[in-house]
Every structure is written in C-alpha cells, then in structure tokens.
Amino acid sequence: MSNYDQLHRQCRTLENLFDAKLTSYSQLVSNISRPGQDIESSGSGERWRDLELELDDLSSKLEEINDQLSSLASNPELMSASMLRAIQRHRELQQDNMRELKRTKTNVKHALDQANLLSGVRNDIDSYKSSAADSLLAERGRIDSSHQMTDDVLQQAYETRSEFARQRSSLAGINNRMVQVIGTMPGINNLIGMIKSRRRRDSIIMGLVIGVCIIIILSYVWN
C-alpha cells in the first residue's frame, strides 16, 4: 500500500508538471507562426528545445512509474478496485499525453519550417534590395565621375580659348606698334627699298659674271 501511494503521488505530480510543460510547448507554435517573429531574438528558438527535452524526460519518468504501477496491478489480491482503476487511468493518461506530445512536436516542426522559409524569403528580399541599392549607388558614382571629367575638359577648353585670346591680343598689339614705328620713321621704307634694289642689282651682276665665266670655260674646252 505504501509503495502504491508513493508511486501514485509521484505519478500525479509528474502528470501535472507534464501538462503544464506541454501547455507552454503548445503556445510556442502560435509564437513561432506569428508573422514577422524573429525566432532567435525572441528566445523561441532555444525555449522550444528546452521544453522538448524536459517533456521527453518527464515522459520517460512517467513511463517508468506506470510500469511499476502495472507490476503492482499484476497482484490483484493486493489491490483494491479503486487502485486498479487509478492505475488504469494513469496508463491511459500516459498514452494520451504521448499522442498529444507527438502531435505538438509535429506542429512545432511545421511552424519552425514555415518561419524559416519566411525568414529566408525576407532575407532574400533584403539582400536584393541591398544589392539594387548598391548598384544604384555605384551607377550614380560613375555618373558623377563622368560629370566631373566633363567639367574638367570644359574648364581646360575655356582656359585654352582664353590663352589664345591673350596671345592674339598680344600679337595684334605688337603689329600695331611696328606699324606705328614705321609710320613715324618714313626713311626706313626708303632704306628698305634701296636695300632690296641693291640686292637685285648684285644678283644680276653675279649672274652675268657667272655666265661669262661659263662661256669662257666652254670656249677653252672646245678649242
């Protein structure tokens, strides 16, 4: 009797604890399945593993105690009808708990698979958005670089045009000063004309001398 009472009390305690743990385990399904729920940051990812281990451990202990109670029930002369019914009730409750635990494990697995799938889709979307943003920024950088290069080329062209304008103005000033100098000294034009005439005369004389020399040389050769 004392052995039965002890096992009976232990079984009731473990059954109540199992029921409370199983309720918490079942609530995780709704938390995990909630849209936008981050399993790891919310702690659900670790919590369901801990609860599952605790429930498996409780199941093993309940199975062991029910086996001991079944051993006592094998001696019906030592058991009353109420004891036998209690032992049978513990066994049936144990079987119901096992079925419920198996069903909840399946639900949790499906919820985790769905949450991981949705998380993967969100990560892909975020990755695509990040990649698209990086591409746009890179394209914008290339456009800005092209604009900067164009501005540099235009600036160089403007500076070259300004330099040409300064040189043209300088040459025009030099030409004007030369004209003015020549205009203020009329004798220079006459001197230049005389030099040119003398050079033409010298060229003619030189040509005649060379022609006479050639004629003399040819006459000497023929004779």
Side-chain angles (χ1 to χ4, degrees):
M1 289 288 295
S2 69
N3 194 16
Y4 166 80
D5 290 339
Q6 182 181 4
L7 292 174
H8 178 65
R9 285 194 299 271
Q10 290 179 359
C11 194
R12 291 290 301 274
T13 300
L14 292 176
E15 286 171 351
N16 292 333
L17 184 58
F18 185 92
D19 185 65
K21 296 289 184 181
L22 185 60
T23 300
S24 299
Y25 188 61
S26 300
Q27 289 175 350
L28 283 177
V29 178
S30 59
N31 292 336
I32 294 173
S33 303
R34 189 178 304 161
Q37 179 72 14
D38 190 337
I39 300 174
E40 298 300 330
S41 63
S42 66
S44 299
E46 296 296 332
R47 181 59 178 157
W48 76 267
R49 294 185 182 91
D50 294 339
L51 284 173
E52 192 171 275
L53 291 175
E54 292 174 5
L55 286 168
D56 289 338
D57 183 60
L58 289 172
S59 298
S60 298
K61 292 179 179 179
L62 282 169
E63 184 68 28
E64 182 180 352
I65 293 175
N66 276 284
D67 289 341
Q68 295 178 19
L69 288 172
S70 296
S71 297
L72 293 177
S74 62
N75 296 317
E77 65 275 5
L78 300 177
M79 297 284 102
S80 65
S82 61
M83 292 178 182
L84 292 174
R85 286 195 299 270
I87 292 174
Q88 180 63 27
R89 177 59 184 161
H90 285 311
R91 175 61 67 182
E92 292 174 353
L93 186 59
Q94 171 68 9
Q95 293 173 353
D96 291 340
N97 286 337
M98 291 301 98
R99 285 192 294 268
E100 183 64 20
L101 177 59
K102 183 178 180 180
R103 184 185 66 82
T104 307
K105 282 184 177 180
T106 301
N107 292 338
V108 169
K109 184 179 184 302
H110 289 165
L112 286 171
D113 291 341
Q114 183 178 7
N116 290 331
L117 178 62
L118 293 176
S119 177
V121 171
R122 286 195 299 270
N123 290 336
D124 291 342
I125 293 174
D126 293 340
S127 177
Y128 174 78
K129 289 181 178 178
S130 177
S131 177
D134 292 342
S135 298
L136 290 175
L137 289 175
E139 184 65 23
R140 180 177 179 180
R142 287 192 290 271
I143 293 174
D144 291 341
S145 178
S146 177
H147 287 170
Q148 182 64 36
M149 186 180 298
T150 303
D151 292 339
D152 292 341
V153 172
L154 290 175
Q155 182 65 28
Q156 292 177 0
Y158 291 146
E159 292 177 356
T160 301
R161 187 182 66 177
S162 299
E163 182 65 23
F164 285 160
R166 286 193 296 270
Q167 291 180 3
R168 184 172 61 250
S169 176
S170 177
L171 291 174
I174 292 173
N175 184 53
N176 290 332
R177 285 195 296 272
M178 290 182 66
V179 171
Q180 292 174 359
V181 170
I182 292 174
T184 56
M185 300 177 65
I188 292 178
N189 290 328
N190 295 330
L191 179 61
I192 293 173
M194 293 174 61
I195 291 173
K196 290 181 178 180
S197 299
R198 185 172 180 177
R199 288 181 63 184
R200 284 196 298 270
R201 186 189 62 185
D202 291 341
S203 298
I204 294 171
I205 294 171
M206 183 63 69
L208 291 174
V209 171
I210 293 171
V212 171
C213 291
I214 291 173
I215 293 171
I216 294 171
I217 290 172
L218 292 176
S219 298
Y220 177 78
V221 171
W222 288 341
N223 294 328

